[in-house]
């Protein structure tokens, strides 16, 4: 047997006997379910199995991997006297060559021996036989006999060889057991050739991984497995199998890796062989050969990877601590260290994790909380719950970082939901965050089919009953936001009810929540309610509530009459809302949104579409545009801003969406609302807004998760104190490290080898916003600042304990996005300038391939590509550009 790394430096391993049954090189008899071996014959074959890992479009010569080669002698051990298709077959695997095609420097096997690479235990295990019982050409799940004490990697290699030899001589689709699991297999037989195609997505195995719930942020895998058997005179002349697995990040498919596994089994000749063993049944024959042989099963077993010489979690933390200080969060080293620490945490015990939490500095501790919570293991959750004291109101920052990390969890389980939903809480803000995040976890668990889990059922009842169980305004809002996160269909009637509430905040939450639901769930009753709100059929509503209702109508497959009534309302609305609705309609037409078709039909009617309606002046606007377009993902943005008639901003709403292969992700929403500020400039409030309390605040939705809103000020006294102390400095809304992409799986190859795939993306993000009002200059300014650093790494490794090969693809970027609105309200119509700027940022891609053996010898190759992505100011409508010129009194 030979072992090599491509282009195949080879190493002597061993010659050992194996026992396999039916489907090996065989002679075919009339009416046979599969090929049969003759007694007293020794069939000689050559066998090669290789595995290569590389980037998606790598060449064979440049791939990392290794090859195992051997001669194989095959003979019949036993056949059931009453059924010729009930057989046991013996195989003996022997050395074929010892060659080297790589330079000594790049050949990690140079100078190695079989014992130095494998170790005595594995070398001894390879010399032991195994048995495979085939009945009517098929392997039963337990019909594989070997030794329990053998290392799992050795048994799996034997299973791989046995699985290759399973063949059916007629065309058809069947279910087979082999090393990959229980799989559906399709056979196509033509003269002299049989093709076996394994439908890999049907394979059922004990090893299951996990992936990110969002398709846009997720990883896709394409797989194929085809084995071609060539027959000559009813005898297997060759069997060639090729299996390919390609994994790619959906949002950037160039960040991809491929595993290719090949097996070749070729007939060489025959000679006289041993006689068939006597026996009545399989169990008796197996026992007579070796009483220690056991039915260990044909399906591959789990292999526990052991990291020799790897640092402990605490040692690893000491090397990463500086990169997780706040001063480093704007650099790519922060999310890269976050991902590396997360991997170590997933292997650590509760005690080890607590040691790191207790030793972290005050400034780095929030980032450690992000990493520990994002690891999503039982040990990490236990450590966090012991470390955090939720009864202490002073621990708000760490408690909220923990809760947000739970909300962004890639694969939460019932226990996470259960643990955060119980216990005493000392802070009102934290109680609100707990309930809101519970809604996000319910949504993710329901997506995975866990809606009927006991804890999920309890939490669903809590948040569904919540709005009606209290009269406290903040608590009602809390439950409504939790329901908004949950996206439960049962919550739609609740949102429909609160859409018509007399409290504007309830109505706004309810309407924005309805907009997140699938259009198919928008019943006629829901649409009628939303239309009543917009048209004020029962009561007068605030402008921002009516604007939210209009958004729901226009995004829910509106009918011709709904659109026509909207158009007819323009001209009868408050001045700024007239302008907002016109801008919204023009944006839908310009961006060709789903409602554009029915809008064009309704606008053919001159009564609903004429100069008088479409010539309304004002400063409010709505605009959408593309941030990025590629074959993998399309990113869009929208900026909506609504003013009061006095020139003070009423609502500002910025959204960023990502779309990939039909899936949509609401990446970011930052909404700033203000009300009751007209008294500052002695202005008259708009209709329905005369009694509103002075208020300004900001709400953020990040990666489909609604976060707890932030209040700038509430009440006139609070407003005045903030006015005189206002510095213009932004208030932080969310800051931390987020695990965006989290994909882990073990790919069982037909050869018996296993490939481990790990794709993770870490995001360091800082979102802040502010509002500044100058009565002297009669000017206001609102800002939303987004700073983020993204790192993605994808590792695919084939590790046999005694050999390891893999590839890592990664990319990183550091960027910022700012949205600033400046308003001068000294005259009417007041001047509004909106700016949305993206700074120039670096983008880097890396490719690393590696091979190693236990001796410590390794070969590593690196490639990288770096570029600067130019910054830009995102285009808005021409009217905005004209106003910006006046605001800044410039000629640009």
């Amino acid at each position: 047997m030979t072992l090599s790394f491509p282009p195949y430096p080879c190493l002597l391993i061993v010659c050992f006997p194996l026992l396999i049954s039916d489907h090996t090189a065989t002679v075919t008899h009339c009416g046979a379910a599969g090929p049969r071996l003759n007694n007293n014959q020794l069939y000689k074959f050559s066998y090669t199995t290789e595995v290569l890992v590389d980037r998606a479009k790598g060449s064979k010569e440049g791939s990392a991997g290794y090859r195992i080669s051997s001669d194989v002698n095959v003979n019949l051990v036993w056949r059931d006297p009453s059924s010729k298709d009930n057989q046991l077959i013996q195989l003996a695997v022997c050395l074929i060559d010892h060659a080297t095609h790589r330079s000594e420097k790049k050949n990690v096997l140079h100078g190695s021996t079989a014992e130095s690479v494998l170790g005595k235990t594995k070398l001894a295990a390879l010399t032991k036989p195994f048995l495979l019982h085939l009945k009517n050409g098929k392997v039963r799940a337990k019909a594989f006999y070997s030794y329990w004490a053998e290392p799992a990697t050795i048994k799996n290699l034997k299973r791989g060889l046995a699985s290759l030899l399973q063949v059916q001589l007629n065309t058809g689709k069947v279910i087979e057991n082999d090393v990959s699991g229980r799989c559906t297999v399709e056979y196509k037989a033509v003269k002299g050739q049989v093709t076996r195609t394994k439908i890999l997505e049907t394979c059922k195995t004990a090893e299951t991984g996990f992936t990110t719930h969002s398709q846009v942020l997720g990883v896709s895998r394409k797989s194929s497995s085809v084995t071609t058997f060539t027959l000559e005179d009813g005898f297997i002349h060759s069997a060639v199998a090729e299996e390919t697995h390609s994994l790619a990040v959906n949002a950037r498919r160039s960040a991809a890796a491929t595993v290719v596994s090949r097996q070749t089994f070729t007939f060489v000749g025959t000679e006289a062989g041993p006689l068939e063993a006597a026996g009545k049944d399989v169990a008796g024959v197996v026992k007579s050969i070796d009483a220690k042989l056991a039915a260990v099963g044909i399906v591959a077993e789990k292999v526990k990877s052991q990291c020799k010489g790897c640092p402990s979690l605490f040692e690893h933390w000491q090397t990463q601590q500086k990169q997780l200080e706040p001063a480093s969060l704007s650099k790519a080293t922060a999310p890269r260290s976050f991902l590396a620490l997360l991997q170590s945490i997933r292997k650590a015990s509760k005690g080890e994790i607590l040691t790191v939490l207790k030793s972290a500095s005050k400034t780095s501790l929030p980032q450690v909380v992000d990493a520990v919570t994002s690891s999503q293991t039982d040990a990490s959750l236990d450590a966090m719950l012991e470390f955090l004291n939720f009864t202490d109101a002073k621990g708000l920052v760490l408690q909220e970082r923990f809760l947000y990390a739970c909300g962004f969890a890639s694969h939460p389980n019932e226990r996470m939901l259960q643990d955060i939903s119980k216990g005493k809480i000392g802070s009102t803000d934290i109680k609100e965050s707990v309930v809101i995040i519970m809604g996000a976890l319910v949504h993710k668990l329901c997506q995975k089919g866990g809606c009927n889990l006991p804890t999920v059922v309890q939490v669903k009842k809590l948040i569904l009953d919540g709005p009606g169980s209290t009269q406290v305004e903040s608590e009602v809002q809390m439950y409504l936001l939790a329901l908004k996160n949950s996206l439960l269909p049962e919550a739609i009637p609740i949102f429909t009810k609160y859409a018509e509430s007399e409290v504007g905040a309830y109505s706004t939450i309810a309407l924005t929540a309805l907009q997140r639901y699938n259009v198919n769930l928008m019943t006629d009753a829901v649409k009628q309610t939303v239309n009543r709100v917009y048209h004020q059929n029962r009561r007068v509503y605030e402008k921002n509530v009516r604007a939210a209702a209009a958004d729901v109508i226009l995004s829910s497959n509106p009918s011709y009459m709904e659109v026509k009534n909207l158009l007819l309302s323009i001209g009868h609305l408050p001045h700024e809302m007239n302008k907002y609705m016109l801008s919204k309609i023009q944006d839908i037409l310009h961006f060709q949104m789903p409602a554009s078709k029915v809008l064009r039909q309704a606008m053919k009617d001159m009564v609903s579409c004429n100069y008088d309606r479409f010539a309304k002046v004002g400063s409010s606007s709505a605009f959408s545009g593309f941030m990025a377009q590629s074959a993998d993902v399309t990113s869009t943005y929208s900026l909506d801003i609504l003013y009061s008639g006095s020139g003070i901003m009423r609502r500002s709403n910025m959204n960023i969406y990502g779309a990939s292969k039909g899936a949509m992700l609401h990446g970011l929403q930052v909404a700033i609302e203000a009300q009751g500020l007209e008294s500052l400039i002695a202005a008259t409030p708009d209709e329905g807004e005369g009694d509103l309390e002075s208020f300004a605040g900001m709400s953020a939705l990040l990666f489909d998760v609604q976060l707890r809103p932030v209040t700038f000020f509430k009440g006139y006294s609070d407003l005045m104190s903030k006015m005189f102390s206002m510095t213009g400095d932004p208030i932080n809304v969310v800051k931390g490290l987020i695990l965006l992409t989290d994909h882990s799986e073990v790919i069982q190859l037909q050869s018996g080898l296993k490939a481990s795939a790990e794709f993770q993306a870490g995001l360091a993000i800082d979102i802040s916003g502010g509002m500044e009002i100058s009565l002297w200059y009669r000017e206001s300014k609102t800002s939303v600042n987004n700073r983020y650093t993204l790192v993605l790494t994808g590792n695919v490794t084939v590790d046999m304990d005694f050999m390891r090969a893999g590839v890592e693809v990664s990319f990183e970027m550091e960027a910022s996005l700012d949205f600033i609105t400046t308003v001068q309200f000294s005259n009417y119509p007041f001047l509004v300038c909106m700016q949305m700027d993206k700074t120039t940022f670096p983008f880097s891609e890396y490719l690393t391939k590696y091979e190693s053996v236990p001796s410590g010898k390794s070969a590593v190759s690196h490639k990288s590509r770096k570029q600067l992505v130019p910054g830009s100011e995102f285009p808005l409508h021409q009217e905005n550009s004209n106003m910006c010129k006046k605001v800044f009194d410039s000629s640009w």
Side-chain angles (χ1 to χ4, degrees):
M1 188 175 190
T2 342
L3 196 128
S4 64
F5 286 88
Y8 319 126
C10 296
L11 173 70
L12 169 65
I13 296 298
V14 74
C15 173
F16 68 99
L18 302 174
L19 294 144
I20 282 197
S21 90
D22 181 27
H23 300 47
T24 2
T26 62
V27 176
T28 311
H29 297 271
C30 182
R36 299 172 184 166
L37 263 68
N38 287 331
N39 187 22
N40 198 26
Q41 286 282 316
L42 183 69
Y43 301 89
K44 302 178 74 68
F45 289 82
S46 65
Y47 175 64
T48 299
T49 180
E50 65 176 334
V51 62
L52 306 172
V53 289
D54 205 344
R55 60 189 176 90
K57 297 181 180 179
S59 63
K60 178 179 177 180
E61 291 74 18
S63 300
Y66 41 81
R67 180 178 70 178
I68 302 172
S69 301
S70 63
D71 282 344
V72 180
N73 296 332
V74 184
N75 65 277
L76 180 69
V77 174
W78 173 85
R79 176 180 283 120
D80 186 349
S82 62
S83 174
K84 293 184 178 181
D85 288 317
N86 194 353
Q87 308 173 88
L88 284 173
I89 300 168
Q90 175 175 292
L91 287 83
V93 180
C94 304
L95 170 71
I96 54 171
D97 63 17
H98 183 192
T100 297
H101 301 291
R102 280 190 181 180
S103 65
E104 179 180 336
K105 184 178 180 181
K106 295 183 178 180
N107 179 14
V108 297
L109 293 176
H110 181 79
S112 300
T113 64
E115 187 172 317
S116 68
V117 173
L118 292 172
K120 290 184 179 180
T121 302
K122 293 184 178 66
L123 188 58
L126 278 174
T127 65
K128 293 182 179 180
F130 72 87
L131 296 171
L132 183 73
H133 175 212
L134 291 167
K135 191 171 184 180
N136 296 323
K138 302 299 174 188
V139 183
R140 289 177 298 148
K142 293 292 184 180
F144 178 87
Y145 301 86
S146 190
Y147 301 89
W148 286 115
E150 282 184 346
T153 52
I154 301 302
K155 291 201 288 274
N156 286 343
L157 281 173
K158 294 177 179 181
R159 291 177 172 112
L161 179 56
S163 298
L164 174 68
L165 301 173
Q166 189 167 205
V167 60
Q168 177 175 301
L169 301 181
N170 57 296
T171 298
K173 186 178 288 188
V174 295
I175 296 176
E176 291 183 349
N177 298 300
D178 70 3
V179 67
S180 302
R182 186 168 176 80
C183 312
T184 300
V185 178
E186 186 173 1
Y187 284 94
K188 289 186 179 180
V190 296
K191 188 175 182 181
Q193 182 173 295
V194 175
T195 300
R196 179 177 69 191
T197 302
K198 189 184 299 182
I199 306 173
L200 292 170
E201 56 268 25
T202 66
C203 294
K204 296 180 180 179
T205 63
E207 290 191 277
T208 57
F210 52 80
T211 193
T212 306
H213 75 284
S214 169
Q215 185 179 332
V216 177
L217 298 173
V219 174
S220 297
R221 172 160 67 96
K222 290 185 178 180
S223 303
S224 65
S225 176
V226 178
T227 305
T228 302
F229 298 90
T230 303
L231 307 176
E232 291 187 6
D233 298 326
F235 188 83
I236 292 183
H237 181 72
S238 67
V240 179
E242 179 162 321
E243 184 176 357
T244 302
H245 301 269
S246 296
L247 296 99
V249 178
N250 293 336
R252 187 173 181 84
R253 304 198 71 83
S254 61
T258 298
V259 184
V260 178
S261 174
R262 297 188 181 97
Q263 293 171 279
T264 304
F265 193 70
T266 306
F267 177 66
V268 177
T270 61
E271 59 183 54
L275 293 173
E276 181 182 339
K280 293 183 179 180
D281 55 31
V282 172
V285 174
V286 171
K287 189 174 181 179
S288 68
I289 294 172
D290 190 338
K292 293 183 179 180
L293 282 166
V296 297
I298 187 66
V299 178
E301 60 189 271
K302 292 184 178 181
V303 178
K304 293 183 178 179
S305 59
Q306 296 180 346
C307 188
K308 297 179 181 179
C310 291
S312 67
L313 173 60
F314 186 74
E315 291 170 335
H316 191 183
W317 158 241
Q318 288 180 313
T319 64
Q320 304 291 340
Q321 186 170 1
K322 288 184 179 178
Q323 282 71 43
L324 293 177
E325 291 288 347
S328 300
L329 288 182
S330 60
K331 302 174 184 176
T333 52
R336 192 172 287 278
S337 295
F338 165 72
L339 294 177
L341 185 63
L342 183 143
Q343 292 292 352
S344 293
I345 293 170
R346 283 182 168 169
K347 302 169 187 174
S349 66
K350 172 186 171 182
E352 291 175 301
I353 297 169
L354 280 171
T355 299
V356 171
L357 286 166
K358 292 174 181 178
S359 66
S361 65
K362 185 177 180 180
T363 51
S364 66
L365 186 54
Q367 288 71 254
V368 179
V369 170
D370 291 337
V372 172
T373 311
S374 298
S375 65
Q376 299 168 73
T377 65
D378 288 341
S380 65
L381 187 56
D382 286 339
M384 285 306 311
L385 292 172
E386 182 174 321
F387 182 75
L388 295 175
N389 180 10
F390 279 91
T391 61
D392 181 10
K394 296 179 181 179
L396 185 144
V397 173
L398 295 180
Q399 293 166 18
E400 195 147 61
R401 291 286 277 265
F402 165 72
L403 292 170
Y404 284 173
C406 289
F408 297 129
S410 57
H411 54 282
N413 56 24
E414 183 185 13
R415 194 202 155 188
M416 178 180 281
L417 177 62
Q418 185 180 42
D419 286 343
I420 73 166
S421 63
K422 63 183 182 181
K424 294 182 179 180
I425 299 172
S427 165
T428 303
D429 288 344
I430 292 301
K431 179 185 176 182
E432 290 178 6
S433 288
V434 166
V435 175
I436 292 168
I437 294 304
M438 282 163 53
L441 291 176
V442 164
H443 174 59
K444 291 182 178 182
L445 289 169
C446 285
Q447 276 188 314
K448 296 193 301 180
C451 245
N452 293 321
L453 293 171
T455 305
V456 177
V457 172
Q458 291 174 10
V459 173
K460 281 168 59 178
K461 186 177 189 308
L462 172 71
I463 60 178
L464 286 168
D465 294 344
S469 66
T470 178
Q471 299 297 319
V472 180
E473 185 175 323
S474 61
E475 292 183 359
V476 175
Q477 290 186 49
M478 171 185 74
Y479 286 117
L480 289 175
L481 289 170
L483 290 171
K484 181 179 178 180
N485 268 338
S486 74
L487 285 179
L488 291 169
E490 306 97 298
I492 291 178
I494 298 174
F495 289 133
T496 305
K497 170 188 172 183
Y498 279 92
E500 294 187 283
S501 171
E502 294 183 1
V503 181
Y506 299 171
S507 300
T508 302
I509 295 172
L511 290 165
T512 54
L514 288 172
Q515 197 172 357
R516 298 186 67 198
Y517 280 92
N518 188 301
V519 174
N520 296 329
L521 296 175
M522 294 295 101
T523 62
D524 290 341
V526 175
K527 289 187 175 185
Q528 287 170 7
T529 299
V530 177
N531 275 278
R532 282 200 303 267
V533 172
Y534 175 78
H535 294 289
Q536 302 188 128
N537 296 136
R538 292 183 177 176
R539 58 178 300 271
V540 175
Y541 293 92
E542 303 165 29
K543 287 193 303 299
N544 59 326
V545 172
R546 298 183 70 186
D551 291 342
V552 177
I553 295 168
L554 291 170
S555 63
S556 303
N557 286 340
S559 66
Y560 175 85
M561 285 307 299
E562 284 179 308
V563 170
K564 185 174 181 180
N565 286 334
L566 278 178
L567 292 172
L568 289 171
S569 71
I570 298 173
H572 303 284
L573 305 170
H575 288 303
E576 283 300 323
M577 193 166 176
N578 277 326
K579 181 61 178 177
Y580 175 83
M581 289 302 299
L582 286 173
S583 187
K584 193 75 178 176
I585 289 167
Q586 289 164 352
D587 186 47
I588 291 172
L589 296 172
H590 174 261
F591 212 61
Q592 296 185 352
M593 296 180 190
S596 60
K597 186 176 179 180
V598 67
L599 262 173
R600 293 186 193 280
Q601 292 175 345
M603 289 174 69
K604 292 178 182 178
D605 180 5
M606 295 303 293
V607 176
S608 56
C609 177
N610 54 51
Y611 178 81
D612 182 55
R613 294 190 195 283
F614 278 73
K616 302 300 181 183
V617 296
S619 302
S620 300
S621 65
F623 187 82
S624 301
F626 289 101
M627 294 190 73
Q629 286 180 283
S630 69
D632 302 327
V633 66
T634 298
S635 179
T636 60
Y637 68 91
S638 67
L639 293 173
D640 296 355
I641 188 163
L642 175 65
Y643 291 95
S644 67
S646 59
I648 295 177
M649 188 206 74
R650 192 69 175 83
R651 186 186 76 166
S652 169
N653 199 353
M654 180 180 73
N655 292 277
I656 297 177
Y657 297 90
S660 177
K661 309 297 182 184
M664 180 72 76
L665 172 70
H666 198 167
L668 175 66
Q669 180 187 74
V670 179
I672 298 178
E673 291 195 14
Q675 66 181 37
L677 304 184
E678 285 77 12
S679 60
L680 291 175
I681 57 174
T684 303
D686 289 339
E687 181 188 19
E689 300 182 358
D691 299 325
L692 294 180
E693 182 182 30
S694 298
F695 167 83
M698 181 162 62
S699 173
L701 183 147
L702 191 60
F703 303 114
D704 282 331
V705 177
Q706 172 71 54
L707 307 181
R708 181 178 63 84
V710 174
T711 298
F712 296 153
F713 56 80
K714 187 173 184 179
Y716 188 77
S717 59
D718 190 23
L719 164 62
M720 296 312 296
S721 66
K722 296 286 175 62
M723 281 288 295
F724 290 108
S725 62
M726 191 177 289
T727 63
D729 294 334
I731 296 176
N732 182 261
V733 178
V734 60
K735 183 175 186 177
L737 290 156
I738 300 173
L739 186 61
L740 278 190
T741 299
D742 193 15
H743 180 93
S744 178
E745 65 175 314
V746 175
I747 303 171
Q748 179 60 57
L749 305 175
Q750 184 174 286
S751 62
L753 302 175
K754 290 177 182 281
S756 299
E758 296 276 346
F759 282 75
Q760 276 90 30
L763 179 73
I765 190 166
D766 184 353
I767 300 176
S768 57
M771 184 174 184
E772 187 177 358
I773 301 175
S774 171
L775 298 181
W776 183 263
Y777 292 104
R778 299 183 73 81
E779 182 177 278
S780 70
K781 182 179 289 186
T782 58
S783 62
V784 177
N785 311 113
N786 304 276
R787 304 284 182 269
Y788 58 93
T789 304
L790 175 67
V791 172
L792 180 137
T793 62
N795 263 294
V796 177
T797 307
V798 180
D799 192 346
M800 291 179 63
D801 292 342
F802 52 87
M803 291 181 297
R804 188 170 183 263
V807 61
E808 179 182 279
V809 294
S810 68
F811 68 80
E812 60 185 41
M813 59 187 289
E814 302 169 7
S816 65
L817 181 67
D818 297 323
F819 173 45
I820 301 171
T821 304
T822 305
V823 183
Q824 292 182 351
F825 47 84
S826 54
N827 295 298
Y828 191 86
F830 36 85
L831 301 177
V832 179
C833 174
M834 293 185 293
Q835 298 166 282
M836 187 171 174
D837 299 327
K838 176 187 71 177
T839 60
T840 297
F841 63 89
F843 183 88
S844 304
E845 293 180 284
Y846 303 94
L847 173 67
T848 303
K849 302 173 190 177
Y850 48 90
E851 299 165 348
S852 63
V853 289
S855 65
K857 193 170 184 180
S858 62
V860 182
S861 66
H862 299 281
K863 289 184 179 180
S864 64
R865 185 178 67 176
K866 299 182 180 182
Q867 61 180 335
L868 279 176
V869 179
S872 64
E873 183 171 341
F874 289 102
L876 300 174
H877 43 81
Q878 184 60 44
E879 187 175 329
N880 181 70
S881 300
N882 297 336
M883 281 201 182
C884 287
K885 291 178 184 179
K886 295 179 181 179
V887 168
F888 296 107
D889 194 25
S890 175
S891 60
W892 52 268

